[in-house]
Amino acid sequence: MKKITILGSTGSIGTNALKVIGAKQEEFQVLGISGYSNFELLKEQIEKFDPKYICIGSKDKADILKNLYPEKVVYFGDDGLKTMGGLEEADIVLTAISGAIGIEATVEAIKKEKRVALANKETMVAAGEYINNLLKKYPKAEIIPVDSEHSALFQSIQGSNYKEIKTLIITASGGTFRGKTLEDLKEVTVEQALKHPNWSMGRKITIDSSTLINKGLEVIEAHMLFGIDYDNIEVLVHPQSIVHSMVEFVDNSIIAQIGVPDMKLPIQYAFTYPNREGSCELERLNLKKLKELSFDQINNNVFKGVELAFYAGKTGKTMPCVFNSANEVAVELFLKGKIKFLQIYEIIKKAMEQHSIEEADNLETIKKVDKETRKWVYDNYGED
Ligand code: NAD
Ligand code: MG
């Protein structure tokens, strides 16, 4: 039995992970789950999967859970999340929290030399250099990517030497607003931005997909996970979301991973790696029904997310952290109706311009820069 902790069990990735586990109860056991504000769903999950450890956002809710389930260990808040990341009994920790708030729990899991099934891409963007140093210090710890593109890259690299990689080709659906002009995007609403053509995901990542910031975050995530130079990472728009990403090797051979757009596959692969397993939860791709697989350039004049990320990534040190933190607050402000869609780019650009870069090899600096950047965005754009 593999014991799994799911950080962010009430989210889109978290609920998919529980479906994966639910279909394989003889193989996987839920050790711990964490939610934030969705009390009812967390309670349902507790009843169904009987985890030993639980974590929730607030102390009040934690007290209610303690009364309901006196035999369970209940944590709350940021410290609780951190403790959940480092549970001794876990074999695998799935980080399915949204945002840089997931960094410290991931750090704890690495320090306990666990397998981290990493969905929380913001951690690798904001703290990638630090996390990579930590992995050297705790060599039994491992990160298996869950993000579909990185899982695809990881799967395509299996059996090859990283030195033989020429290009990582990350595919992008193009998001809700693919084909739109700058003029079209000036007045788009939150509702329009939240409609993703191919994937059903949490609100934050859905907005990130519509700005293509998600693809930018993924470029930095790929650099951090696979150690490939930014000059050898390419993004192509692939509206069908069937080819999840590709690796071009030195002999010009390209290996791709393709399948239905369903996060349950990369989640399960991160749990079972290096093995593959069938599951009633995993759908077959009907190749005969595929009419077209197309690939195109990003329109960087309209969607600035990828270029901004390349700038942040190539600058390095604390700049990717600023890129991420500024975006997190900008997305929150957009969702609250306080800024316009295109201001998300403006905020990230200006936050990076005002930042003086520092070494990003320690957690204190990353936390400080994250906090300062958030404050800067709130101070300049958060007021009514
Ligand atoms: P979501 O919004 O659906 O879920 C987020 C989870 O994090 C919830 O369980 C929520 O309770 C918890 N959470 C939020 N704020 C918290 C806080 N302050 N403290 C503790 N817990 C908190 O998000 P999602 O779509 O499942 O995405 C999760 C992560 O996975 C993100 O980093 C995202 O980029 C990444 N990811 C998601 C998908 C997808 O298909 N949804 C695909 C690839 C990568
Ligand atoms: Mg992705």
Side-chain angles (χ1 to χ4, degrees):
M1 274 294 225
K2 282 185 193 160
K3 293 185 179 168
I4 304 181
T5 308
I6 302 179
L7 305 176
S9 65
T10 54
S12 164
I13 291 287
T15 47
N16 273 315
L18 286 173
K19 284 185 196 156
V20 167
I21 294 171
K24 291 189 172 286
Q25 305 228 13
E26 67 300 337
E27 189 180 342
F28 301 126
Q29 186 188 338
V30 179
L31 176 72
I33 55 175
S34 91
Y36 189 58
S37 54
N38 194 341
F39 182 80
E40 286 308 315
L41 180 57
L42 193 67
K43 226 173 93 197
E44 253 176 57
Q45 295 178 340
I46 296 167
E47 307 272 335
K48 187 161 176 204
F49 291 95
D50 195 27
K52 186 169 165 191
Y53 300 91
I54 312 165
C55 182
I56 190 147
S58 72
K59 184 174 184 309
D60 294 359
K61 296 263 172 65
D63 287 341
I64 301 174
L65 288 173
K66 271 183 201 156
N67 277 329
L68 284 172
Y69 308 104
E71 77 286 7
K72 302 207 179 290
V73 185
V74 184
Y75 298 112
F76 66 91
D78 296 353
D79 286 343
L81 196 63
K82 196 171 154 182
T83 308
M84 293 286 287
L87 293 177
E88 288 288 356
E89 297 145 84
D91 297 301
I92 300 170
V93 180
L94 171 66
T95 62
I97 302 290
S98 178
I101 194 80
I103 293 176
E104 288 194 83
T106 311
V107 167
E108 291 308 304
I110 293 172
K111 285 186 176 168
K112 293 282 164 60
E113 306 211 287
K114 304 298 177 192
R115 168 176 294 190
V116 176
L118 182 106
N120 179 229
K121 67 189 81 185
E122 294 91 344
T123 285
M124 271 330 261
V125 173
E129 192 186 329
Y130 171 73
I131 297 274
N132 281 334
N133 287 338
L134 206 61
L135 286 168
K136 285 186 201 129
K137 222 166 129 190
Y138 298 93
K140 284 196 198 125
E142 59 181 349
I143 292 184
I144 311 293
V146 168
D147 210 346
S148 58
E149 296 75 5
H150 305 75
S151 176
L153 295 170
F154 184 67
Q155 292 181 54
S156 303
I157 293 167
Q158 292 308 307
S160 304
N161 189 326
Y162 278 60
K163 289 196 185 108
E164 295 163 358
I165 298 171
K166 189 191 255 179
T167 322
L168 298 181
I169 305 165
I170 300 177
T171 53
S173 70
T176 325
F177 300 133
R178 185 172 55 89
K180 298 275 185 242
T181 63
L182 269 181
E183 196 56 36
D184 295 335
L185 294 184
K186 270 189 185 155
E187 301 298 331
V188 292
T189 64
V190 172
E191 289 66 34
Q192 287 168 325
L194 280 174
K195 277 192 201 121
H196 196 282
N198 304 345
W199 297 93
S200 156
M201 310 181 286
R203 283 159 68 86
K204 193 254 173 188
I205 184 175
T206 306
I207 300 300
D208 287 347
S209 296
S210 70
T211 53
L212 260 69
I213 297 288
N214 182 50
K215 227 26 74 176
L217 292 167
E218 291 181 354
V219 165
I220 302 175
E221 183 188 11
H223 168 80
M224 294 297 179
L225 287 173
F226 303 108
I228 301 297
D229 280 354
Y230 285 103
D231 289 336
N232 301 98
I233 302 176
E234 198 182 318
V235 178
L236 286 180
V237 175
H238 166 55
Q240 298 82 15
S241 295
I242 295 294
V243 178
H244 298 306
S245 280
M246 305 176 251
V247 180
E248 182 186 26
F249 292 91
V250 284
D251 59 358
N252 294 338
S253 176
I254 294 177
I255 299 187
Q257 187 261 333
I258 80 172
V260 291
D262 179 354
M263 290 308 294
K264 293 198 285 300
L265 173 59
I267 293 169
Q268 180 180 294
Y269 187 72
F271 292 169
T272 61
Y273 169 81
N275 303 318
R276 289 185 185 274
E277 289 178 20
S279 166
C280 59
E281 281 291 340
L282 300 177
E283 212 184 305
R284 231 177 146 192
L285 174 66
N286 188 342
L287 289 162
K288 280 174 256 167
K289 281 203 173 154
L290 290 182
K291 289 193 189 69
E292 188 189 12
L293 293 178
S294 60
F295 303 93
D296 203 352
Q297 298 294 328
I298 291 178
N299 184 351
N300 286 310
N301 295 326
V302 179
F303 300 98
K304 307 196 193 305
V306 173
E307 276 193 346
L308 286 168
F310 269 111
Y311 171 77
K314 285 182 180 178
T315 307
K317 299 185 179 175
T318 45
M319 204 54 106
C321 175
V322 174
F323 171 79
N324 178 66
S325 308
N327 177 58
E328 282 191 31
V329 183
V331 171
E332 182 194 315
L333 294 176
F334 173 69
L335 285 168
K336 286 181 177 158
K338 296 207 171 190
I339 60 162
K340 298 226 157 119
F341 185 78
L342 290 174
Q343 277 185 292
I344 297 175
Y345 301 130
E346 174 194 319
I347 289 174
I348 297 170
K349 189 164 179 278
K350 291 201 172 153
M352 293 204 290
E353 277 165 8
Q354 61 85 45
H355 176 65
S356 315
I357 52 167
E358 296 176 51
E359 294 296 332
D361 53 3
N362 66 87
L363 203 51
E364 289 66 41
T365 306
I366 293 158
K367 281 161 76 174
K368 185 195 79 174
V369 169
D370 174 56
K371 203 168 153 192
E372 283 170 2
T373 307
R374 284 168 198 272
K375 184 177 180 315
W376 185 87
V377 181
Y378 282 125
D379 286 352
N380 288 279
Y381 293 88
E383 304 304 324
D384 285 320

